[in-house]
Amino acid sequence: HFDTFMNSYKTVLRSASLKSQTLVLGPEYALASRQQFPEYLHGLGLRGTGIEIGVYEGEFAASFISRWQGQSYHGVDPHDVYENVLHSLPLKSEPRWHFHQKRDYQILDEFEDQSLDYVYIDSVHTYKWVSTTIEKWIKKIRPGGMISGHDFCCADHANYENEKKGASAYPLVAKHIKHIPSCGIYKCLNGYCDNKDKPRLGNLKIGFSGVVQAVLEAAERHERSVAFTLEGVNPGWGTGNPSWWFIV
């Protein structure tokens, strides 16, 4: 299944007509979860330098670097990732890991243009911040590299946030709402619940229309198609929100 997906996705990326006509790729091009990103990067021959913007307690960073064969992986966050000993312990003993306790724009100049293989954005989830972050860091990614990020989903009710904030606020979200995954509801997986979600179990998740709008604008600007992961769609794939990505 993964090889078929890779071949199909590469075919889409090679097609200029599909790039311009299909802004959001359908579920047939989706990965089950962001946990498959390392394997996907290997399939694209991306084993150089990656960076995760917004590492929180380091849980995803530790999982990612344990399976990615890249040369170096940088994490940036204004908070100390090592405060959570359980999640960050694997990172302390990983020689390829480099943590920067700063804002991402403070380390931007430490990387040459077109030098990175992979960027993952999971920091401030607002339209303005995501839009600015994408445009700052996409210049640092080499041709054929991957830019990606978290929370590519809208509230469960179609057009909910557009109706609340005004349809003109996020026109690309309104246009492609049928193709954008839902954030779903707060739930547990195999008995595990995130502490911050326990009081909200069973309730509809908030949507991230601002994030989605920023991503779609960037993809349209760079003539790329956006693919996403399927967390929350199938309980076996995790309870988190979907991630997005496209190839530079």
Side-chain angles (χ1 to χ4, degrees):
H1 169 74
F2 190 80
D3 289 340
T4 302
F5 163 82
M6 287 294 298
N7 291 333
S8 299
Y9 192 71
K10 287 178 179 178
T11 299
V12 170
L13 290 173
R14 291 192 193 104
S15 172
S17 61
L18 278 175
K19 283 181 188 176
S20 60
Q21 295 175 18
T22 308
L23 189 58
V24 183
L25 296 175
E28 64 270 26
Y29 297 104
L31 292 175
S33 79
R34 63 181 182 173
Q35 300 297 333
Q36 291 184 316
F37 278 176
E39 185 180 10
Y40 180 65
L41 292 170
H42 296 158
L44 294 174
L46 299 174
R47 293 180 169 87
T49 301
I51 183 167
E52 183 177 327
I53 300 169
V55 298
Y56 188 42
E57 296 178 336
E59 185 175 13
F60 178 59
S63 173
F64 179 91
I65 200 171
S66 70
R67 299 189 315 282
W68 188 47
Q69 298 169 7
Q71 296 175 3
S72 63
Y73 194 53
H74 296 257
V76 55
D77 200 295
H79 305 290
D80 185 3
V81 68
Y82 301 117
E83 286 183 0
N84 187 311
V85 178
L86 178 64
H87 291 164
S88 63
L89 187 61
L91 294 173
K92 283 191 172 183
S93 60
E94 172 55 70
R96 297 174 297 154
W97 168 253
H98 309 276
F99 178 60
H100 310 262
Q101 191 173 350
K102 298 178 179 179
R103 294 286 186 184
D104 67 283
Y105 58 81
Q106 294 176 306
I107 67 165
L108 192 67
D109 291 339
E110 295 184 23
F111 301 92
E112 298 288 337
D113 288 354
Q114 298 187 3
S115 65
L116 301 176
D117 284 33
Y118 167 75
V119 171
Y120 187 80
I121 301 168
D122 191 13
S123 52
V124 181
H125 295 81
T126 64
Y127 163 76
K128 183 177 181 180
W129 193 277
V130 174
S131 182
T132 301
T133 304
I134 290 174
E135 287 312 303
K136 284 187 300 188
W137 284 95
I138 201 168
K139 302 171 185 176
K140 302 297 179 179
I141 303 173
R142 70 178 180 86
M146 173 174 159
I147 188 164
S148 57
H150 201 210
D151 296 310
F152 186 78
C153 58
C154 293
D156 207 37
H157 297 303
N159 265 353
Y160 170 75
E161 288 187 86
N162 285 289
E163 291 172 356
K164 184 170 66 173
K165 296 184 177 180
S168 61
Y170 302 120
L172 286 177
V173 176
K175 181 179 179 180
H176 297 279
I177 191 69
K178 292 182 179 179
H179 306 290
I180 296 166
S182 164
C183 297
I185 63 173
Y186 293 104
K187 55 189 176 182
C188 301
L189 175 64
N190 298 327
Y192 172 78
C193 303
D194 194 303
N195 287 331
K196 69 178 183 296
D197 291 340
K198 287 180 180 178
R200 306 182 286 192
L201 291 178
N203 296 330
L204 287 173
K205 288 183 178 180
I206 62 171
F208 292 91
S209 292
V211 173
V212 176
Q213 177 71 23
V215 171
L216 296 182
E217 285 181 1
E220 191 172 63
R221 205 159 41 242
H222 294 278
E223 297 184 312
R224 292 295 185 266
S225 298
V226 179
F228 54 86
T229 59
L230 296 173
E231 288 94 339
V233 177
N234 184 313
W237 293 337
T239 59
N241 289 334
S243 292
W244 60 272
W245 82 91
F246 61 84
I247 304 302
V248 176

